[in-house]
Amino acid sequence: MRARATDARRAAVLGSPVAHSLSPVLHRTAYRELGLGDWSYDRFEIDEEALPGFFGDLGPEWAGLSLTMPLKRAVIPLLDEVSETAASVEAVNTVVFTEDGRRVGDNTDIPGMVAALRERGIEQVDSAAILGAGATASSALAALAQICTGEVVAYVRSAERAAEMRRWGERLDVEVRTQDWAQAAQALRAPLVIATTPAGTTDALSAAVPERPATLFDVLYDPWPTDLAARWSGYGGAVVSGLDLLVHQAVLQVEQMTGRAPAPLDAMRKAGEQALMNRR
């Protein structure tokens, strides 16, 4: 699944919108640290309609692609192979072009979540809560399938979303119970809370943070900290950020695309932190 690490190679992140993506900062930093001075990493504003044409124009210099919304599912028909991890959530965020010209899709978000949690000492929990029910929530469920030994409670806004989360739970072999979003404050007492909602959605919950919170994984990174994360850390709880996730999944992408391991995690994280500071 590795691309050759010689000669000038190209990689990029695709999506719409994509201008905000930190992926170029992270991957370019990795290339410098790994001595891959002739590698380049760009960003392209590509929607679902334009994706097949973009793939059709790619030459042999391409090593890989990072994919963000709305392309993670749309890319699957264009691939020769999809990893078991990506297939489990029907979402591909990484494409590697092999030396024999095959297009291989993977999902590094799921192992990236697990790695980010393990970095903070979270190896296993006996229960967890998920705030939200979108695409990121399904990846969170897949990550919890590896570290959660008991029930996962998902807090959602509609019966349709609740049914969808239960279906994902059955597919991923995770025990999922759903609760209405009106009860979301109850989630904050779980050993692990994963917030997968858009910016501002959890702000109203910050007043309900318990005095001794456990671990919060908030997948947002800009703006940071969220109100919930700030209150959580203020009470001494452990907080894993969206930047932690972004860096860990990018590390895996770099290693797959370049064939070089380990990727420079610390340098990539510092570059991401600096890029976020420069936006403020």
Side-chain angles (χ1 to χ4, degrees), residues 27 30-31 34 250-260 263 268:
H27 284 251
Y31 297 164
L34 293 171
V251 161
L252 297 171
Q253 288 184 334
V254 168
E255 290 175 355
Q256 289 188 23
M257 293 179 191
T258 67
R260 302 285 188 90
M268 293 168 70

Side-chain angles (χ1 to χ4, degrees), residues 60 133 148 201 207 219 257:
C148 184
T201 306
V219 302
M257 293 179 191

Side-chain angles (χ1 to χ4, degrees), residues 103-260:
R103 303 165 174 178
V104 180
D106 194 14
N107 185 310
T108 63
D109 286 332
I110 295 167
M113 283 186 175
V114 174
L117 286 166
R118 286 178 174 163
E119 185 179 39
R120 302 302 176 87
I122 309 300
E123 298 281 348
Q124 182 176 297
V125 292
D126 57 14
S127 63
I130 294 178
L131 299 174
T136 305
S138 62
S139 292
L141 271 180
L144 288 171
Q146 301 181 41
I147 68 169
C148 184
T149 60
E151 181 183 68
V152 175
V153 183
Y155 293 82
V156 301
R157 292 188 181 277
S158 70
E160 180 182 359
R161 290 288 196 177
E164 183 176 342
M165 287 298 284
R166 288 193 294 269
R167 286 195 296 270
W168 279 117
E170 291 174 2
R171 179 169 181 168
L172 296 164
D173 197 24
V174 178
E175 182 184 352
V176 175
R177 178 166 59 90
T178 56
Q179 289 273 39
D180 188 87
W181 183 263
Q183 307 301 317
Q186 298 176 3
L188 308 186
R189 299 189 179 278
L192 171 62
V193 181
I194 304 181
T196 69
T197 52
T201 306
T202 62
D203 288 355
L205 297 177
S206 60
V209 174
E211 291 186 3
R212 295 183 179 180
T215 300
L216 171 69
F217 192 158
D218 194 325
V219 302
L220 296 174
Y221 61 84
D222 189 15
W224 185 263
T226 62
D227 286 356
L228 181 60
R231 178 67 67 92
W232 199 278
S233 60
Y235 280 154
V239 176
V240 184
S241 75
L243 182 61
D244 295 321
L245 167 60
L246 188 67
V247 171
H248 276 283
Q249 66 83 27
V251 161
L252 297 171
Q253 288 184 334
V254 168
E255 290 175 355
Q256 289 188 23
M257 293 179 191
T258 67
R260 302 285 188 90

